[in-house]
Amino acid sequence: MTIYDAEQRKKILCRLDDAAGEIAADYIYLYPPGIPMIVPGEIFTEPMIQIVRQCQEAGLDVEGLPETDTINIVKNARIDYN
């Protein structure tokens, strides 16, 4: 899904640990330097979720998560990536 399309569609909150197969609706990035780890329209995978968790556990500033344990996903757009 394109970034534009993902940003325009309805969003819902999802637990980060349950996001595998969901489509990101917002950017998630480390700050500094502000480089995106995940962009809208990208499908969450287990390895991606583990990297975000590792960054949080290391005390890095992970931006784009409305709450520590949730993320915005595109509503009704789940993908089976297996």
Side-chain angles (χ1 to χ4, degrees):
M1 181 179 296
T2 66
I3 292 172
Y4 177 80
D5 192 27
E7 288 180 331
Q8 297 304 307
R9 296 184 72 185
K10 290 188 178 190
K11 302 174 186 180
I12 58 172
L13 283 177
C14 176
R15 284 178 18 94
L16 182 60
D17 293 333
D18 298 332
E22 301 290 355
I23 298 177
D26 289 325
Y27 290 89
I28 296 176
Y29 56 95
L30 289 176
Y31 187 82
I35 297 172
M37 298 170 62
I38 298 169
V39 299
E42 193 169 0
I43 300 169
F44 281 98
T45 63
E46 286 296 332
M48 293 166 69
I49 294 166
Q50 291 173 3
I51 291 169
V52 171
R53 285 287 185 219
Q54 289 171 352
C55 291
Q56 288 175 318
E57 290 168 6
L60 301 174
D61 190 9
V62 179
E63 296 288 329
L65 303 173
E67 298 174 23
T68 307
D69 198 38
T70 62
I71 47 113
N72 278 315
I73 59 169
V74 175
K75 184 177 181 179
N76 298 325
R78 184 171 179 77
I79 305 294
D80 183 13
Y81 71 93
N82 290 324

